[in-house]
Amino acid sequence: MKNIVILISGGGSNMAAIVKAAESERWAARLDARVAAVISNKPDAGGLAIAREHGIATAVVSHRDFASREEFDAALAREIDAHAPTLVVLAGFMRILTPGFVTHYAGRLLNIHPSLLPAFPGLDTHRRAIEAGCRIAGVTVHEVTVELDHGPILAQAAVPVLQGDTPQTLAARVLAQEHRVYPRAVADWLQRVETN
Ligand code: GAR
């Protein structure tokens, strides 16, 4: 069985989209894959309750409990590795990861970023896209490499930037595409790998 571990920091709507796709598309039977755990760095992340409602194991590894990024990442990796992951999925996980962590999961760590990378890595993507006068914005799913918001692109979707858009209205339009693109990219990735 291919275990997917999803990392979140907030509402977890992308995580929920992946969990729902796994259920409705019967990933266990078709891809020999399941969402084994959802882990948050924030105890109050709304997505934790959603995961529990779907019978998925949850855990919190709070970055506030650790003195350094290295110590936090080591504790996070221990929690992830307890679930023997084939794939680790960052879904709105808002922590910069250390090179050691990224290297540990090289080739099996995916991220979703709310811009058309390589445009607008980092934070505040929707405001920056509007201020730059972009006519198109979007979302990117990519493999995580040591450089933030870089790494091989697996999937993208574009949306128009409309007259009068605010960062919030644009974010909502992009998020709808995120929920479509991320489950698809994860399923495609799982289909490509050999079973553990
Ligand atoms: C999503 O828009 C995701 O692309 C973004 O955070 C949001 C999380 O929403 N991720 C990043 O900005 C990563 N740098 P969700 O918790 O509802 O999935």
Side-chain angles (χ1 to χ4, degrees), residues 18-167:
I18 293 166
V19 166
K20 284 175 192 159
E23 289 174 358
S24 66
E25 297 170 8
R26 299 188 304 111
W27 288 5
R30 285 186 37 246
L31 298 169
D32 192 34
R34 61 164 184 168
V35 179
V38 171
I39 302 171
S40 172
N41 65 309
K42 293 200 170 178
D44 59 351
L48 289 168
I50 300 173
R52 277 188 224 109
E53 281 164 23
H54 287 266
I56 296 167
T58 62
V60 174
V61 182
S62 174
H63 58 277
R64 295 183 187 282
D65 293 343
F66 300 90
S68 68
R69 278 190 196 280
E70 285 72 19
E71 288 169 71
F72 167 67
D73 279 7
L76 182 62
R78 272 196 301 279
E79 187 64 46
I80 295 169
D81 288 346
H83 299 279
T86 303
L87 178 63
V88 179
V89 172
L90 307 180
F93 187 68
M94 306 303 279
R95 297 293 302 172
I96 292 174
L97 297 163
T98 56
F101 182 97
V102 172
T103 304
H104 180 67
Y105 296 107
R108 53 186 177 130
L109 183 58
L110 306 187
N111 183 43
I112 192 161
H113 183 75
S115 78
L116 292 172
L117 291 173
F120 308 122
L123 296 175
D124 247 350
T125 53
H126 306 301
R127 183 186 56 73
R128 289 157 65 204
I130 290 168
E131 284 178 6
C134 294
R135 301 299 181 92
I136 289 175
V139 52
T140 303
V141 176
H142 65 98
E143 271 183 38
V144 177
T145 53
V146 167
E147 198 179 348
L148 179 72
D149 295 334
H150 281 67
I153 291 171
L154 301 182
Q156 289 185 309
V159 301
V161 180
L162 302 178
Q163 282 290 336
D165 257 339
T166 63

